[in-house]
């Protein structure tokens, strides 16, 4: 109880936080005091970065962390640096009271006797995360930013050219603040996961090192396999009914790939399936990419071995852009 009171009392005076049974931190300085206590106690810290609007996909990462760590920390921060000027920063769902209720309700029975629950939530302000200020337009941004050259221009980067610069920058800031033993990311954002692994390796990070940045399989709606996403809340009833088309198209491409057909034929079959609902959706892309270089495979490439290949896609349902992917091959080799 002392730790909870101290955390809340160190929030910025103007911050009004919803009630929470676990500590809430709004400043790096306050969180680092809590983190140092965990270090002195030799406790491992698992970490899940989020932008809020939590769903069971996020909580699957929390459960994995609760299973593998003494303490589990989430952050909730809607990062302006990863939204282009025309994207949905202002309307991105912000549901903090509901999010905290979900976090506070999570419990995991460890080793049959110990009950583990989330340990802390980091809720920084934009000013806390960007002391030099931040503008949504990268052309006028000032301050320190991180770019993973050569790996952010493919796949998602073709449609969102500044996205991974914003992601890499904020994640490094969060890693520096949290200093996690382990960090957990969802496979739905596979390119992000692999770029962050490379960033961790290239910058010689120790908290976490690349081996402790974990990619957790995508959580899906059990009724139709739609990948869980905060943006699903934007979908109308009609849009929700056609949203699983992207995953079905990826599965068609996967089946064709496993039959030994060339990439070009696999893509034609997947695109044909999307075309069946063309009046309701708009395909952005479906592509096969090498999991190491992230470059697209040659059009004639067929299945050759079990080295991982990324089969990913994006599709608009109305104004809502959905993404999904399948890893072809051994996920453990990523």
């Amino acid at each position: 109880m002392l730790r909870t009171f101290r955390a809340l009392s160190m929030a910025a005076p103007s911050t009004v936080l919803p009630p929470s049974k676990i500590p809430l931190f709004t400043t790096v300085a306050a969180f680092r005091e809590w983190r140092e206590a965990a270090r002195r106690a030799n406790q491992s810290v698992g970490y899940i970065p989020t932008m809020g609007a939590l769903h069971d996909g996020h909580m699957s990462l929390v459960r994995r962390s609760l299973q593998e760590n003494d303490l589990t920390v989430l952050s909730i921060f809607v990062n302006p640096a990863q939204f282009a000027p025309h994207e949905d920063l202002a309307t991105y769902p912000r549901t903090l009271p509901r999010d905290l209720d979900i976090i506070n309700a999570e419990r995991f029975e460890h080793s049959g006797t110990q009950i583990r629950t989330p340990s802390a939530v980091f809720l920084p302000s934009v000013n806390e995360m960007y002391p030099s200020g931040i503008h949504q337009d990268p052309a006028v941004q000032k301050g320190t930013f991180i770019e993973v050259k050569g790996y952010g221009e493919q796949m998602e980067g073709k449609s969102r050219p500044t996205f991974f610069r914003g992601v890499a920058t904020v994640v490094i800031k969060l890693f520096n603040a949290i200093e996690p033993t382990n960090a957990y990311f969802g496979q739905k954002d596979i390119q992000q996961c692999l770029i962050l692994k490379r960033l961790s390796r290239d910058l010689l990070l120790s908290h976490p090192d690349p081996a402790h940045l974990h990619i957790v399989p995508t959580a899906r709606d059990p009724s139709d396999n739609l990948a869980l996403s905060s943006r699903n809340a934007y979908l109308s009833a009609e849009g929700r009914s056609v949203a699983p088309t992207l995953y079905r198209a990826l599965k068609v491409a996967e089946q064709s790939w496993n039959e030994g057909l060339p990439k070009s034929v696999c893509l034609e079959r997947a695109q044909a399936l999307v075309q069946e609902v063309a009046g309701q959706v708009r395909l952005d892309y479906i592509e096969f990419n090498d999991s190491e270089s992230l470059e697209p495979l040659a059009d004639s490439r067929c299945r050759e071995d079990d080295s991982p290949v990324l089969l990913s896609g994006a599709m608009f349902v109305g104004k809502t852009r959905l993404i999904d992917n399948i890893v072809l091959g051994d996920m453990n080799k990523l």
Side-chain angles (χ1 to χ4, degrees):
M1 292 300 293
L2 175 61
R3 186 177 288 178
T4 302
F5 170 78
R6 186 169 183 78
L8 290 172
S9 68
M10 296 182 74
S14 61
T15 301
V16 178
L17 296 173
S20 173
K21 295 182 294 185
I22 62 176
L24 307 178
F25 298 91
T26 61
T27 68
V28 173
F31 181 82
R32 282 178 172 162
E33 183 178 338
W34 181 91
R35 181 65 179 92
E36 182 58 30
R39 197 182 340 269
R40 290 195 301 268
N42 198 31
Q43 293 175 302
S44 60
V45 174
Y47 172 51
I48 301 94
T50 84
M51 294 206 301
L54 300 184
H55 50 69
D56 200 55
H58 297 109
M59 301 317 293
S60 70
L61 308 182
V62 173
R63 293 176 201 120
R64 172 81 175 266
S65 178
L66 291 172
Q67 182 178 355
E68 298 178 353
N69 300 278
D70 299 314
L71 304 171
T72 291
V73 176
L74 295 89
S75 63
I76 298 176
F77 178 67
V78 181
N79 176 33
Q82 67 193 63
F83 290 81
H86 66 281
E87 292 183 327
D88 58 344
L89 174 62
T91 59
Y92 192 86
R94 291 163 171 84
T95 58
L96 182 58
R98 174 183 172 276
D99 292 345
L100 293 178
D101 286 344
I102 291 172
I103 294 168
N104 277 284
E106 190 63 47
R107 297 167 63 84
F108 177 79
E109 186 175 313
H110 180 69
S111 301
T113 56
Q114 180 187 8
I115 301 296
R116 287 179 175 173
T117 60
S119 310
V121 182
F122 184 46
L123 301 167
S125 66
V126 172
N127 289 339
E128 187 75 11
M129 293 300 294
Y130 291 96
S132 297
I134 184 66
H135 194 286
Q136 201 173 343
D137 183 355
V140 297
Q141 288 173 356
K142 294 183 178 181
T144 304
F145 295 86
I146 295 173
E147 189 172 358
V148 184
K149 297 289 287 184
Y151 299 92
E153 295 79 30
Q154 311 87 338
M155 301 166 65
E156 282 296 283
K158 291 185 70 174
S159 299
R160 307 181 71 189
T162 63
F163 175 71
F164 290 111
R165 178 177 181 267
V167 169
T169 299
V170 80
V171 169
I172 279 292
K173 290 170 177 278
L174 290 166
F175 282 171
N176 286 339
I178 305 298
E179 296 187 5
T181 313
N182 293 283
Y184 300 88
F185 294 84
Q187 180 193 333
K188 184 176 74 68
D189 300 296
I190 190 65
Q191 185 178 11
Q192 171 180 286
C193 295
L194 296 178
I195 285 176
L196 292 177
K197 271 186 171 283
R198 185 170 295 275
L199 178 149
S200 177
R201 182 167 68 246
D202 288 352
L203 295 185
L204 311 182
L205 296 188
S206 59
H207 291 82
D209 62 33
H212 291 88
L213 195 158
H214 305 284
I215 304 174
V216 180
T218 301
R220 300 185 178 279
D221 188 307
S223 66
D224 57 14
N225 288 316
L226 178 67
L228 300 186
S229 169
S230 300
R231 286 188 168 91
N232 292 351
Y234 297 153
L235 297 171
S236 65
E238 181 182 13
R240 177 62 183 80
S241 68
V242 297
T245 301
L246 177 60
Y247 184 64
R248 289 199 292 267
L250 294 177
K251 293 297 288 184
V252 165
E254 177 189 32
Q255 180 180 347
S256 301
W257 178 261
N258 289 337
E259 292 171 3
L261 297 173
K263 167 192 155 178
S264 56
V265 175
C266 299
L267 291 180
E268 287 171 5
R269 291 184 173 184
Q271 291 161 358
L273 189 146
V274 177
Q275 190 62 31
E276 294 176 5
V277 290
Q280 299 166 281
V281 306
R282 177 169 61 87
L283 185 65
D284 188 349
Y285 73 92
I286 295 178
E287 184 58 278
F288 290 82
N289 294 75
D290 182 89
S291 61
E292 179 64 24
S293 69
L294 302 187
E295 293 296 334
L297 302 186
D299 286 345
S300 59
R301 170 89 178 264
C302 301
R303 177 176 176 175
E304 297 171 348
D305 52 40
D306 288 332
S307 60
V309 168
L310 310 178
L311 170 58
S312 64
M315 183 182 76
F316 286 92
V317 182
K319 295 182 179 179
T320 303
R321 187 174 183 274
L322 304 178
I323 64 172
D324 207 341
N325 68 81
I326 296 171
V327 175
L328 307 172
D330 187 353
M331 274 275 294
N332 294 320
K333 294 181 180 180
L334 293 177

